[in-house]
Amino acid sequence: MTYHPRIPYSQNGFEAPLEIAKFSSEHDEKLLADDSVHITSTIVPEKPAGLLIITSYPPRECGIATYSQDLIEALYNKFSQSLQIKVCAMESGEDVFSYSREVKYVLKTFLPDGYAKLANAINLDPDIQFVLIQHEFGFFKKQQQAFTDFLHQLTKPVIIVFHTVLPRPNPALRLAVKQIADACVSVIVMTHNSKGILTQDYDVPDDQISVIAHGTHLVSFVSNSTLKKKYALEKRKVFTTFGLLSRGKSIETTIEALPVIVSRFPDALFLVIGKTHPEVFKNDGEEYRESLEKKVKALGLENHVKFINQYLPLPELLEYLQLTDIYLFTTNDPNQAVSGTFAYAMSCGCPVISTPIPHAREVLTHDTGVIFDFGNSQQLAEKVIKLLENKPLRKSIRNNSLQAIVATAWENSAISHAREIEKLSKGNTILQYNIPAINLAHLKTMTTRTGIVQFAKNNQPDMRSGYTLDDNARALIVSCMHYKLQGDAESMAHIHTYFSFIKRCILPSGNFLNYLDTEFRFTEQNYTTNLEDSAGRALWSLGYLISMKDVLPEEMIAEACLLLKQALVRTEMIHSTRAMAFAVKGLCLYYTIFSEPYVLDLIKTLADRLERMYEHESETNWNWFEASLTYANSLLPEAMLYAWQVTNDPVYRKIAINSLDFLISKTFNKKGIAVISNRGWLVKGEKPNRFGEQPIDVAYAVMTLSAFYEVFKNDAYRHKMNIAFNWFQGQNYLHQIVYNPATGGCYDGLEDKNVNLNQGAESTVSYLMARLTMEQYVTSENSANKASMVF
């Protein structure tokens, strides 16, 4: 952690840490070596927009402080090229904190003079274009008028985030909130209920308010049983609540429900995780916790309640939540607008039972959670017992909760906040998505000694789905790409695994089988499905492997050549459009190493078939090979480009360019890329279907655009390639990430209103193909643009 030296606290209530121009060289070396560092995108704006966030901030222990730290980290990881983020840390007492380097200003909220001085500093600071304020009434209760005046003194656009929105305000509160809103260009709340209250009770214009849900952490799931064993809780049914302890959490509601629960489930254990709230501790010490401990003892529940009196590190907290059987949220405040604690619990797959605060009523529907009345211990006991007795119901709630909450991931919250700033900038801020570090973790998770497993349930391999040649051929290419980049032993081991799988799938006739179960038997699906595409993918992967002759073992190359030649016997009989295109790519890669005339003849044969298809179907406004755009479309122009490169036939070149330009016209728009839906193809003369976009189609687009850029050096291809890759990062119609940085996996696609949470082989390998394709541009141009902020 890097700290600012501090100017001694002054009477005016406002202070600014001295700027540090550069890190030490030792720190630079460490940062550049850090695998978690996010590398910037390939297009860098002249200067990021300056964003100052006014908030409580760690090391202060406060829910909003943690919230802001998580948001800032997510914004930085995704948009460090577009946003330069600094913090003004709010302090409510005499405590002095040592802050990390992003803290530029400090505001003592109880001193009136500090507000005007801070406003003047912000107005004069050329590096600040926007101000975002995390608002809670308690922050400014001693200086409400000074805060309101401060807002009106600012000349920079202000966005305010209301963490609490009270219904039915008295005239003084209504006026105060209205004055705050009037001074801001945008208001953010975390629930639609809060937005409704602001519009109806405070007359804040609807179009001034945006709803951005409380962020949650993506989790790389570990099994409940594994974590219970780790924490010595194997034989317990665990209920959990967490957060800074205060009377408002009404922990006694659960303790009073426990005798009934324990009589039915003697293995029940209630975990109360969290320190006493610092402000409560200042005034009352541990009075509330001690009262709870007395109640536990009086009810004879010592073996059924455990207090963990710590502010747990995030990884440990998330593990406790993952081992939890039911999460209990028992606040007694009906006006609590939002709870980050039960949102975190949902993101960890916990079935949640909650009192009916507005956030709970909005998020916990009949299939995503359970609601009970404030302070009703009897009702709570009944609902806990019902859930514990019904394992299928708990599983259903878990799955539905994960699907409902995934949109609130901090990465998606960052996208929503950044888009709000982009909108307010009126074209002066253009968002550039950072490119994440290469992460093969999920590829490893999905790979056994046999090969890569076909499907996943969330981020865990679904062994019942077996294996396919399709996925293992693509995984072989990814491992070759990574080995070419890193020369690492682990990628070499994966190359051997996937190559062995391909060898298993080829028949003496030269045909390939595709589907293999976990008992290593080829399934009946092989005999009821057209397998030409699978054969084409196998040829592509073999050609790619052979093209790495200079870096791979000689015996492996020789064996791959024998396999490819064995398959060539059947290749001329391929007529499936995409199978021919895959085969052309593989054969061209082979031909660049071994220039054998009969291989060139076969390339021409297949390319000529694609040419005839194009000539037959193309017409004005439809420059394509078929009467519809279907799947893996960009593969076809790319195959013609490959064919032109080895044959020098100008017809292939013309078709390659014209067909790709046509495809771009149908799949790119002002908002980004929208690949053809898997719910229905785009038929000539008809309108496209919406939704149902697949990672594999986006990945092929990235690879094709890269290939065209490398040949023609046309910046338009390069620009489109960046846009296509950003689809994985959130530049899509849902404005949600499709790549999961916590697991290294990729969600299985975009549906109408949500991502498909499963992270199967096809999606993950497709993302990695795209990411590894982007690496050549990142490495050559942007190594100096790696992350410079440390949290």
Side-chain angles (χ1 to χ4, degrees):
M1 185 77 69
T2 301
Y3 298 101
H4 278 297
R6 300 296 301 277
I7 297 175
Y9 165 66
S10 59
Q11 292 280 329
N12 61 30
F14 162 71
E15 54 183 312
L18 294 171
E19 291 296 332
I20 294 179
K22 295 182 179 179
F23 286 110
S24 66
S25 59
E26 179 183 353
H27 181 274
D28 285 337
E29 291 172 5
K30 180 182 177 183
L31 188 63
L32 293 173
D34 185 354
D35 289 337
S36 68
V37 166
H38 291 258
I39 304 167
T40 56
S41 179
T42 57
I43 297 178
V44 182
E46 290 184 7
K47 187 178 181 182
L51 173 65
L52 180 71
I53 300 181
I54 302 177
T55 178
S56 58
Y57 204 65
R60 180 177 176 179
E61 292 177 348
C62 161
I64 291 177
T66 303
Y67 171 96
S68 293
Q69 185 181 49
D70 289 336
L71 174 61
I72 289 168
E73 184 170 0
L75 281 167
Y76 182 77
N77 285 342
K78 292 204 74 69
F79 299 111
S80 63
Q81 301 173 89
S82 306
L83 299 173
Q84 183 180 49
I85 302 168
K86 294 295 181 183
V87 173
C88 172
M90 294 190 291
E91 297 177 355
S92 59
E94 298 294 341
D95 293 335
V96 176
F97 299 100
S98 292
Y99 293 107
S100 48
R101 70 182 299 273
E102 64 271 22
V103 175
K104 188 172 186 178
Y105 303 114
V106 174
L107 175 67
K108 297 283 188 180
T109 58
F110 59 95
L111 297 175
D113 293 344
Y115 290 90
K117 292 181 180 294
L118 177 60
N120 186 58
I122 292 171
N123 291 340
L124 294 176
D125 192 331
D127 293 329
I128 296 175
Q129 281 74 53
F130 298 94
V131 178
L132 187 146
I133 302 173
Q134 305 292 348
H135 179 276
E136 184 60 78
F137 290 102
F139 287 157
F140 310 106
K141 61 184 178 183
K142 294 180 179 179
Q143 297 296 340
Q144 180 60 54
Q145 188 58 51
F147 173 66
T148 303
D149 293 342
F150 162 75
L151 292 176
H152 286 273
Q153 288 165 6
L154 289 173
T155 58
K156 310 290 176 73
V158 179
I159 304 166
I160 196 153
V161 183
F162 282 121
H163 286 255
T164 297
V165 179
L166 297 173
R168 300 175 297 279
N170 61 37
L173 177 60
R174 184 181 184 280
L175 176 63
V177 170
K178 191 72 170 65
Q179 287 177 336
I180 290 170
D182 287 345
C184 300
V185 295
S186 178
V187 174
I188 293 174
V189 293
M190 298 181 197
T191 67
H192 292 279
N193 179 77
S194 292
K195 180 176 180 177
I197 293 171
L198 282 179
T199 56
Q200 295 166 23
D201 292 5
Y202 295 88
D203 289 334
V204 178
D206 181 89
D207 60 3
Q208 189 183 354
I209 308 170
S210 297
V211 178
I212 302 177
H214 192 296
T216 57
H217 292 278
L218 294 171
V219 176
S220 182
F221 286 96
V222 181
S223 72
N224 178 285
S225 58
T226 299
L227 290 173
K228 282 188 175 181
K229 185 176 181 179
K230 176 178 177 178
Y231 290 96
L233 298 171
E234 300 102 307
K235 298 180 180 180
R236 308 302 296 266
K237 289 184 172 60
V238 179
F239 322 128
T240 301
T241 193
F242 84 91
L244 294 170
L245 202 60
S246 67
R247 292 187 184 278
K249 290 191 176 295
S250 193
I251 304 299
E252 61 273 17
T253 301
T254 300
I255 293 173
E256 290 165 5
L258 278 177
V260 176
I261 297 170
V262 169
S263 68
R264 175 67 182 84
F265 294 97
D267 55 353
L269 176 66
F270 178 39
L271 299 179
V272 183
I273 300 173
K275 294 171 63 175
T276 296
H277 196 290
E279 296 300 318
V280 173
F281 185 80
K282 282 181 186 177
N283 298 320
D284 303 322
E286 292 287 5
E287 179 182 316
Y288 180 56
R289 184 185 300 275
E290 290 167 357
S291 72
L292 295 175
E293 290 170 343
K294 288 178 182 177
K295 186 179 287 287
V296 168
K297 187 174 183 179
L299 293 173
L301 295 171
E302 293 95 329
N303 293 327
H304 301 281
V305 180
K306 181 179 180 181
F307 290 91
I308 301 175
N309 187 10
Q310 299 177 53
Y311 198 85
L312 290 182
L314 180 65
E316 189 175 348
L317 173 63
L318 295 179
E319 287 191 340
Y320 268 111
L321 291 176
Q322 287 180 79
L323 65 79
T324 295
D325 294 294
I326 301 175
Y327 185 82
L328 303 176
F329 182 77
T330 56
T331 182
N332 56 18
D333 180 5
N335 292 323
Q336 182 173 343
V338 68
S339 167
T341 64
F342 85 66
Y344 278 27
M346 289 178 70
S347 73
C348 289
C350 298
V352 174
I353 299 178
S354 172
T355 48
I357 66 167
H359 190 190
R361 293 200 307 270
E362 193 165 300
V363 175
L364 299 181
T365 61
H366 68 282
D367 58 355
T368 59
V370 178
I371 289 178
F372 76 103
D373 294 333
F374 292 105
N376 193 327
S377 297
Q378 178 183 344
Q379 194 179 91
L380 174 60
E382 292 170 355
K383 292 183 182 294
V384 167
I385 290 169
K386 180 181 177 181
L387 263 187
L388 287 179
E389 289 177 337
N390 193 334
K391 187 174 181 179
L393 177 60
R394 293 203 309 277
K395 184 177 179 181
S396 174
I397 289 175
R398 177 186 187 276
N399 292 336
N400 292 333
S401 296
L402 288 172
Q403 187 65 77
I405 207 71
V406 68
T408 69
W410 280 115
E411 289 78 2
N412 293 329
S413 178
I415 292 168
S416 296
H417 282 83
R419 292 184 72 242
E420 184 73 11
I421 292 167
E422 183 181 45
K423 179 181 73 175
L424 295 174
S425 77
K426 298 179 181 178
N428 292 322
T429 298
I430 305 299
L431 294 181
Q432 299 292 335
Y433 290 76
N434 291 348
I435 298 178
I438 296 167
N439 183 356
L440 301 185
H442 193 56
L443 183 76
K444 299 171 191 175
T445 298
M446 293 292 291
T447 299
T448 69
R449 287 180 294 178
T450 302
I452 190 166
V453 178
Q454 183 178 193
F455 296 143
K457 291 184 176 179
N458 202 305
N459 69 319
Q460 295 301 310
D462 181 1
M463 297 306 300
R464 294 175 302 175
S465 67
Y467 307 87
T468 69
L469 172 62
D470 291 336
D471 293 327
N472 280 274
R474 287 185 285 251
L476 176 60
I477 292 171
V478 162
S479 296
C480 286
M481 293 172 79
H482 193 262
Y483 185 77
K484 186 187 297 184
L485 183 68
Q486 298 289 347
D488 57 309
E490 195 163 31
S491 289
M492 177 56 74
H494 280 148
I495 289 171
H496 280 288
T497 298
Y498 305 135
F499 183 46
S500 295
F501 190 92
I502 293 173
K503 290 189 286 185
R504 187 194 295 264
C505 292
I506 194 167
L507 300 174
S509 64
N511 286 329
F512 287 90
L513 297 179
N514 188 39
Y515 301 100
L516 186 76
D517 66 21
T518 53
E519 301 298 321
F520 312 118
R521 299 171 301 202
F522 287 105
T523 68
E524 288 300 314
Q525 194 173 356
N526 287 292
Y527 309 104
T528 59
T529 306
N530 187 327
L531 299 182
E532 283 194 352
D533 280 9
S534 301
R537 291 185 188 97
L539 287 169
W540 176 30
S541 67
L542 289 171
Y544 196 98
L545 186 149
I546 292 165
S547 73
M548 292 177 58
K549 175 178 176 289
D550 292 342
V551 296
L552 293 179
E554 186 176 330
E555 60 274 17
M556 179 183 285
I557 298 298
E559 196 171 5
C561 287
L562 289 175
L563 285 179
L564 186 140
K565 290 176 181 178
Q566 184 180 346
L568 290 187
V569 176
R570 309 291 300 182
T571 302
E572 192 172 351
M573 303 177 196
I574 291 176
H575 286 83
S576 166
T577 311
R578 281 147 191 82
M580 289 190 291
F582 281 125
V584 167
K585 285 184 65 175
L587 293 176
C588 288
L589 289 166
Y590 176 87
Y591 187 77
T592 61
I593 304 300
F594 301 106
S595 301
E596 297 169 348
Y598 75 96
V599 173
L600 183 61
D601 289 342
L602 188 50
I603 292 170
K604 290 179 179 179
T605 296
L606 297 175
D608 284 346
R609 287 179 191 166
L610 291 171
E611 177 194 341
R612 287 194 295 273
M613 294 179 70
Y614 179 86
E615 296 298 344
H616 181 266
E617 290 294 343
S618 64
E619 58 186 48
T620 303
N621 299 324
W622 190 265
N623 297 321
W624 197 242
F625 304 83
E626 301 163 309
S628 59
L629 291 169
T630 58
Y631 63 96
N633 294 297
S634 64
L635 176 67
L636 306 185
E638 188 179 3
M640 298 305 286
L641 178 70
Y642 273 55
W644 167 65
Q645 287 181 286
V646 299
T647 67
N648 212 25
D649 187 329
V651 175
Y652 298 164
R653 179 184 185 277
K654 180 180 178 181
I655 292 174
I657 293 171
N658 289 345
S659 60
L660 180 59
D661 288 349
F662 169 75
L663 181 61
I664 287 171
S665 74
K666 296 297 183 183
T667 54
F668 283 82
N669 53 52
K670 292 181 180 179
K671 297 180 180 179
I673 188 173
V675 292
I676 304 304
S677 169
N678 67 345
R679 298 186 179 183
W681 309 132
L682 173 55
V683 179
K684 187 190 300 185
E686 297 182 5
K687 292 183 178 180
N689 287 284
R690 296 188 64 203
F691 315 122
E693 296 181 16
Q694 302 295 297
I696 191 167
D697 290 305
V698 180
Y700 284 154
V702 170
M703 297 177 80
T704 297
L705 289 160
S706 171
F708 273 73
Y709 173 75
E710 289 303 313
V711 172
F712 299 113
K713 298 302 179 184
N714 183 331
D715 287 338
Y717 294 135
R718 174 75 173 279
H719 180 60
K720 292 288 192 295
M721 178 190 67
N722 291 330
I723 291 172
F725 185 78
N726 286 343
W727 181 91
F728 292 102
Q729 301 294 89
Q731 191 177 346
N732 51 58
Y733 63 78
L734 289 180
H735 306 296
Q736 294 181 28
I737 55 168
V738 186
Y739 166 66
N740 183 327
T743 64
C746 181
Y747 296 127
D748 279 352
L750 298 181
E751 307 301 340
D752 294 30
K753 297 179 181 178
N754 57 270
V755 296
N756 182 329
L757 283 181
N758 297 325
Q759 298 163 51
E762 178 184 291
S763 300
T764 295
V765 171
S766 295
Y767 166 77
L768 288 171
M769 283 181 172
R771 174 62 187 87
L772 288 162
T773 297
M774 298 294 291
E775 182 66 9
Q776 60 185 309
Y777 309 106
V778 172
T779 302
S780 63
E781 296 185 6
N782 296 102
S783 59
N785 289 320
K786 292 186 178 181
S788 61
M789 187 190 298
V790 177
F791 291 90

